Amino acid sequence: QVQVVESGGGLVQAGGSLRLSCAASGSIGSIRTMGWYRQAPGKQRELVGSFITGGITDYADSVKGRFTISRDNAKNTVYLQMNSLKPEDTAVYYCNFNLRLTYSAYYLDYWGQGTQVTVSS
């Protein structure tokens, strides 16, 4: 099967930076998309940024110019560099891989365990 493990996150003051990492491992045949989502208390999970088909990146309007997503294909790892953090960025951040196992023809979503990011004012 597949394991998805996140690292990073924590408490930071407004204006500060954090970097999240997320690695997928196991019987991976092909990765179609990879990215980051977040969920604040009382709100729905929302897209933060992702690599979509063709390697193009997509970002939520609220993070454009502040957050950058990058990846290491050889390591099946995706990163999220977060700069100029604001209190409204406080949320649990989840990474997501849409991938196909080596013995399957179907693409499924796999999620990380979530990591808390708290930005103090």
Side-chain angles (χ1 to χ4, degrees), residues 38-60:
R38 67 185 181 186
Q39 188 166 18
K43 295 187 177 181
Q44 290 187 332
R45 191 173 297 188
E46 63 174 0
L47 173 71
V48 176
S50 70
F51 285 99
I52 56 179
T53 303
I56 300 170
T57 55
D58 184 33
Y59 293 96

